[in-house]
């Protein structure tokens, strides 16, 4: 089963209080979602493998460490886009793929409508990104999509999750670790996380 990590950090908690507030404006909401994405990424990247390279400083020759694998960010459209800039601020060399899902009205299952990934996804470290891990259906389908393209080193990065979504990901993809800023109580009868922060996509893009 994949490891679940909830980032208990004062800066994240402070920003989450503002993100959750229904009166927070779109600009502030978008900015803080990016910042939280960056803070989570700092923790995730502790485990990235490095390799030694030779560097000539202004003083002398020395040995330094650099990332040994490419990092690929895969936001789930559209809300996942809100976390990409924050992650790239910490990993500016990261490449970005995209996967889009919609829910079939009859089966209620996610259907892939768009997918484009860099070739490096096969050998690189893949971060599947979506702010809300609710039912886990879209996240599971997105991870299946990157696995279908050859990805093997995969981590899910979210902001708010709930037990139902975590359980679904653990069941469908036990090899994928999960990182969240907060674990909330449950899903309500219409599939929103409680207490949650509402529809993240609408709040990010001003379509609420």
């Amino acid at each position: 089963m994949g490891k679940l990590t909830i980032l208990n950090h004062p800066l994240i908690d402070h920003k989450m209080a503002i993100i959750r507030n229904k009166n927070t404006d779109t600009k502030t909401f978008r900015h803080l979602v990016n910042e939280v994405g960056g803070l989570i990424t700092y923790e995730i990247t502790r485990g990235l493998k490095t390799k030694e390279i030779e560097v000539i400083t202004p003083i002398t020759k020395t040995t330094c460490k650099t990332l040994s694998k490419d990092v690929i960010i895969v936001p789930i459209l559209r809300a996942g886009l809100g976390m990409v800039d924050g992650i790239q601020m910490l990993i500016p060399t990261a490449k970005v793929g995209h996967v889009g899902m919609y829910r079939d009205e009859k089966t209620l299952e996610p259907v892939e409508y768009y997918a484009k990934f860099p070739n490096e996804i096969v050998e690189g470290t893949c971060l599947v990104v979506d702010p809300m891990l609710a039912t886990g259906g879209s996240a599971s389908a997105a991870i299946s999509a990157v696995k279908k393209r050859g990805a093997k080193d995969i981590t899910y990065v979210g902001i708010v999750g709930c037990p139902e979504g975590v359980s679904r990901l653990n069941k469908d993809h036990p090899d994928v670790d999960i990182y969240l800023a907060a674990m909330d109580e449950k899903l309500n009868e219409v599939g929103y996380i409680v207490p949650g922060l509402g529809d993240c996509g609408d709040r990010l893009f001003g379509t609420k």
Side-chain angles (χ1 to χ4, degrees):
M1 184 177 294
K3 177 180 67 175
L4 171 64
T5 302
I6 311 298
L7 278 300
N8 295 312
H9 190 288
L11 285 179
I12 291 178
D13 292 344
H14 175 78
K15 294 174 192 298
M16 286 299 298
I18 304 170
I19 288 172
R20 289 186 188 276
N21 191 329
K22 68 176 184 179
N23 296 317
T24 297
D25 63 88
T26 299
K27 179 182 177 182
T28 303
F29 185 88
R30 186 185 304 125
H31 178 73
L32 291 179
V33 165
N34 263 310
E35 284 194 344
V36 171
L39 289 169
I40 296 172
T41 302
Y42 184 79
E43 187 65 29
I44 293 169
T45 50
R46 288 180 185 275
L48 293 183
K49 290 182 171 58
T50 59
K51 61 182 178 182
E52 292 188 343
I53 61 169
E54 191 174 87
V55 171
I56 299 176
T57 77
I59 309 301
T60 187
K61 185 187 298 183
T62 189
T63 300
C64 296
K65 293 180 180 180
T66 186
L67 294 178
S68 61
K69 294 173 68 173
D70 289 301
V71 176
I72 299 91
I73 309 165
V74 181
I76 302 175
L77 302 177
R78 63 183 167 146
L81 293 171
M83 297 173 66
V84 172
D85 287 348
I87 297 172
Q88 281 194 308
M89 283 186 67
L90 283 184
I91 318 173
T93 56
K95 296 174 172 60
V96 182
H98 297 86
V99 61
M101 301 283 173
Y102 72 88
R103 182 172 294 185
D104 184 281
E105 292 184 2
K106 293 182 179 178
T107 66
L108 301 181
E109 288 298 312
V111 178
E112 179 185 305
Y113 69 85
Y114 182 80
K116 190 170 182 65
F117 309 107
N119 293 331
E120 290 81 358
I121 197 169
V122 176
E123 299 297 334
T125 295
C126 181
L127 306 179
V128 175
V129 176
D130 196 24
M132 310 297 287
L133 181 57
T135 66
S138 294
S140 178
I143 292 169
S144 294
V146 297
K147 284 183 174 179
K148 181 180 175 183
R149 274 75 174 189
K152 296 177 282 293
D153 181 2
I154 305 166
T155 298
Y156 176 86
V157 188
I159 291 182
V160 177
C162 63
E164 293 91 334
V166 170
S167 177
R168 172 73 182 268
L169 274 199
N170 281 335
K171 174 177 173 291
D172 293 352
H173 301 284
D175 55 328
V176 174
D177 290 341
I178 302 169
Y179 285 81
L180 300 169
M183 172 69 94
D184 280 10
E185 180 185 343
K186 62 180 181 179
L187 290 177
N188 66 13
E189 63 280 359
V190 291
Y192 278 92
I193 296 175
V194 179
L197 47 83
D199 188 306
C200 194
D202 282 344
R203 296 190 69 191
L204 278 168
F205 300 107
T207 52
K208 60 180 178 179

